[in-house]
Amino acid sequence: EGPQDSAPVTSLHSLAVTSEQIEHLHRRFKQLSQDQLTIRKENFDSIPDLEFNPIRGKIVHAFFDKRNLRQESDGLADEINFEDFLTIMSYFRPIEMNMDEEQLDRFRKEKLKFLFHMYDSDHDGKITLQEYRNVVEELLSGNPHLEKESARSIADGAMMEAASICVGQMGPDQVYEGITFEDFLKMWQGIDIETKMHVRFLNVDTIAHCY
Amino acid sequence: MEVVWAVGQVGALWVAVVLGLIVLPSALGISLGISEAYMWVLVKTLEWATIRLQKGAKKPQPPRTPTANGIIERDETPMEKEIALLHRADFEFSHIFYFCRKGFEAIVEDEVTQRFSSEELLSWNLLTRTNVNFHYISLRLTVVWVIGVIVRYCFLLPLRVTLAAIGITSMIVGTTVVGQLPNSSVKNYLSEVVHLTCSRILVRALSGTIHYHNKENRPQKGGICVANHTSPIDAIILTNDGCYAMVGQVHGGLMGIIQRATVKACPHVWFERSEIKDRHLVTKRLREHVADKSKLPILIFPEGTCINNTSVMMFKKGSFEIGGTIYPVAIKYDPQFGDAFWNSSKYNIVSYLLRIMTSWAIVCNVWYLPPMVRKEDEDAVQFANRVRSAIARQGGLTELPWDGGLKRAKVKDTFKEEQQKNYSKMLVRNGSVG
């Protein structure tokens, strides 16, 4: 029994990780799932390093978000298997040397889409002011010095800037409904996110084996 | 009838060999060089096996990096620098990248759980338990492995079990006998002899090869010896070279018998279960022991639980509140020949001992560090951290601020709040609020 048996070939190719890295991830998966075949939200509670993360909830949520799992339906999954786990991990793979323009563009879009889903909690395809405030509040949570108003003003300022970039000058009656994914992409044009949103594996061969 | 007699002869021969070659030298404290020869053969065989493995692999092997530090490359850029790198005005976008990545890194591997699984080896040591993907490589290698299994299970294991039995029995009998004597310097001397001899027998029972460094810093009477904890045999490793007063909880069963016997000969400090909960009582008793300069140094493992010997976790401050001189000791096992780490949530004590006794050998280095005393402006926690750093540095272990109790429990809220405060302080400083 091995991870290679359970995952179909296509998803492995898109991950572009070596079989050793998959073994590592599989071992980690088994550790988190306590030797079960699927992971539930509660399993992420056993990671002490994660406790400190203010957006811990959103990160865990992202693992179960069906949009990230490339499933047709919407909403949240109750549990995910190893293949799903790898699918989510693939959003954080680093750039490879041999990528061409089209691949790079797709690569970048995927990462931004992942981020977009994190903000858009009601899955309606738009980041509203309330959702934005939500994220900022979480980021600043646990800080006794900042009151709720600061979080609000940050969110409001950000939304206004987003609106000005995406829609241009707004008339007094115009209401900016929310940031769509296209607007989101525009906001991040020219900014290098690929090197910020990845986790790079060390090239290790722990145990030599031959075939 | 003749068969019984023949078996009896073999049995007698066996016991004679064991006594002559192992027990007697232990009592006298000399070495016949058998262990050294064994280790030499072992090293040569394992080198050969590794070369075979490397030859067998089709692809050229990339240069190996030690896995003790994890499988993902951690970007150590402090958060402030990262946020400055993103020119966008929207600060929270930058923050979200940072935390997203940290979150993912934690999910792929976290520093804490890593420390509670055995250290991975860079090359195979012919024990299947360390080769997670055992692939058939060559007939010759498999044959050597099979021979290895036979040697370990059919020859080494019975030998070691015999020795362990002899060691434990002599410990119980010896200390009970010595315990009958009235308190005097003769009694103390005899008690030391008994403890040392039995300890040496037990170390040979594990095929232990121990290198002691800086023996001039050995713990003196009236002091406290602290060491990092990897397995229950740590105590035996240390008592092989000196006498200590052990500190611990009273157990039942065989352990309890040993405890009751040894305490008659030598003033070990055994606590009842109910007493352990009362920290003041514990501290008081230990203080009394330390104040008496004629008593043997106490041996304490401040981590509180077994860690996998790649790092040193938080030291509980209780041991450092007692006062007196602290003698730090660093113990580092070489995992090449046998993994000494006890993963108590995975294996119980019996299966752990079985694993140890069917490994090739237990090889470790022990460094005695110069004694340390608490400075006037230091509190117990700072002192504990200072000692911990010294031990970690000497043993080549990494230091982690985590509590060993995390093996079973969750992160303390106070610690979480501390982290959150640090992050918030940074935000306010950046002036990006409002």
Side-chain angles (χ1 to χ4, degrees), chain B residues 33-49 126 207-209 211 336-337 360-361 363:
Chain B
I34 300 178
S35 309
E36 280 83 355
Y38 169 66
M39 290 304 293
W40 185 85
V41 169
L42 200 56
V43 167
K44 288 288 170 218
T45 318
L46 288 181
E47 272 175 14
W48 173 83
L126 289 176
S207 292
T209 305
H211 303 287
Q336 189 61 35
F337 298 99
W360 292 116
V363 178

Side-chain angles (χ1 to χ4, degrees), chain A residues 20-21 23-25 27-28 31-32 44-56 59-60 62-63 85 88-89 91-92 112 114-115 118-119 132 135-136 139-146 150 153-154 157-158 161-162 165 179 184 186-189 191-193 195-211, chain B residues 53-54 56-59 61-67 69-75 82 85-97 99-114 117 120-124 130-133 135-137 402 406 410-411 415-417 419-421 423-425 427-428 432-434:
Chain A
E20 269 110 9
Q21 288 159 357
E23 302 259 8
H24 272 296
L25 286 172
R27 247 177 285 158
R28 180 61 172 165
Q31 212 175 41
L32 291 174
F44 287 96
D45 292 343
S46 59
I47 307 175
D49 271 353
L50 203 53
E51 296 277 314
F52 295 157
N53 207 307
I55 52 168
R56 181 187 172 282
I59 293 175
V60 173
F63 273 80
F85 186 72
I88 305 287
M89 294 309 302
Y91 287 102
F92 272 76
L112 283 172
F114 182 82
L115 208 58
M118 222 183 244
Y119 274 79
Y132 210 103
V135 175
V136 179
L139 277 175
L140 301 179
S141 61
N143 179 2
H145 301 293
L146 292 178
S150 320
S153 56
I154 292 168
E161 186 178 327
I165 291 178
I179 309 177
F184 199 74
K186 264 195 239 163
M187 288 168 78
W188 285 103
Q189 227 162 26
I191 312 282
D192 162 36
I193 58 136
T195 57
K196 296 272 154 265
M197 248 181 87
H198 73 262
V199 169
R200 192 182 288 279
F201 277 91
L202 285 174
N203 191 3
V204 282
D205 270 311
T206 47
I207 292 154
H209 48 250
C210 82
Y211 303 94
Chain B
L53 278 171
Q54 283 176 344
K58 273 192 197 154
K59 302 184 273 196
Q61 298 298 319
R64 292 178 181 190
T65 44
T67 53
N69 291 325
I71 55 172
I72 49 179
E73 193 179 292
R74 299 244 175 194
D75 190 350
E82 271 205 38
L85 286 174
L86 284 172
H87 307 298
R88 259 325 183 85
D90 308 349
F91 84 96
E92 84 292 341
F93 265 143
S94 4
H95 286 46
I96 220 180
F97 279 149
F99 285 117
C100 245
R101 208 179 71 233
K102 286 288 167 199
F104 261 73
E105 282 175 1
I107 290 174
V108 170
E109 88 189 338
D110 70 279
E111 288 187 319
V112 177
T113 329
Q114 239 195 320
S117 55
E120 289 186 21
L121 291 179
L122 291 176
S123 67
W124 190 36
T130 50
N131 190 347
V132 176
N133 353 288
H135 289 197
Y136 176 78
I137 289 154
W402 296 99
L406 281 176
K410 290 178 64 95
V411 179
F415 205 61
K416 242 204 277 190
E417 278 160 18
Q419 289 290 96
Q420 284 174 331
K421 262 198 266 169
Y423 166 59
S424 313
K425 260 193 248 167
L427 281 184
V428 176
S432 42
V433 178

Side-chain angles (χ1 to χ4, degrees), chain B residues 18-219:
Chain B
V18 167
L19 282 175
L21 290 180
I22 296 168
V23 176
L24 206 56
S26 307
L28 300 173
I30 56 176
S31 165
L32 289 176
I34 300 178
S35 309
E36 280 83 355
Y38 169 66
M39 290 304 293
W40 185 85
V41 169
L42 200 56
V43 167
K44 288 288 170 218
T45 318
L46 288 181
E47 272 175 14
W48 173 83
T50 315
I51 293 173
R52 291 294 308 176
L53 278 171
Q54 283 176 344
K55 271 200 199 144
K58 273 192 197 154
K59 302 184 273 196
Q61 298 298 319
R64 292 178 181 190
T65 44
T67 53
N69 291 325
I71 55 172
I72 49 179
E73 193 179 292
R74 299 244 175 194
D75 190 350
E76 300 296 337
T77 334
M79 184 162 72
E80 297 156 331
K81 223 170 140 200
E82 271 205 38
I83 288 169
L85 286 174
L86 284 172
H87 307 298
R88 259 325 183 85
D90 308 349
F91 84 96
E92 84 292 341
F93 265 143
S94 4
H95 286 46
I96 220 180
F97 279 149
Y98 177 79
F99 285 117
C100 245
R101 208 179 71 233
K102 286 288 167 199
F104 261 73
E105 282 175 1
I107 290 174
V108 170
E109 88 189 338
D110 70 279
E111 288 187 319
V112 177
T113 329
Q114 239 195 320
R115 307 299 165 179
F116 291 123
S117 55
S118 295
E119 195 179 349
E120 289 186 21
L121 291 179
L122 291 176
S123 67
W124 190 36
N125 64 352
L126 289 176
L127 298 174
T128 350
R129 63 187 71 137
T130 50
N131 190 347
V132 176
N133 353 288
F134 176 58
H135 289 197
Y136 176 78
I137 289 154
S138 76
L139 183 62
R140 228 187 282 182
L141 199 61
T142 314
V143 166
V144 172
W145 177 74
V146 169
I147 296 178
V149 169
I150 297 175
V151 165
R152 282 186 293 125
Y153 281 84
C154 304
F155 176 63
L156 290 179
L157 182 61
L159 175 65
R160 286 174 182 166
V161 170
T162 318
L163 280 177
I166 295 179
I168 295 178
T169 323
S170 10
M171 173 93 89
I172 297 175
V173 167
T175 47
T176 313
V177 164
V178 172
Q180 306 305 320
L181 300 172
N183 285 350
S184 64
S185 53
V186 175
K187 178 181 182 188
N188 291 342
Y189 173 69
L190 284 176
S191 149
E192 279 188 26
V193 167
V194 168
H195 276 96
L196 275 173
T197 310
C198 298
S199 208
R200 289 193 192 120
I201 298 177
L202 287 173
V203 165
R204 278 171 167 78
L206 302 167
S207 292
T209 305
I210 312 173
H211 303 287
Y212 296 97
H213 306 267
N214 307 334
K215 280 198 182 180
E216 65 272 9
N217 292 327
R218 253 208 298 233

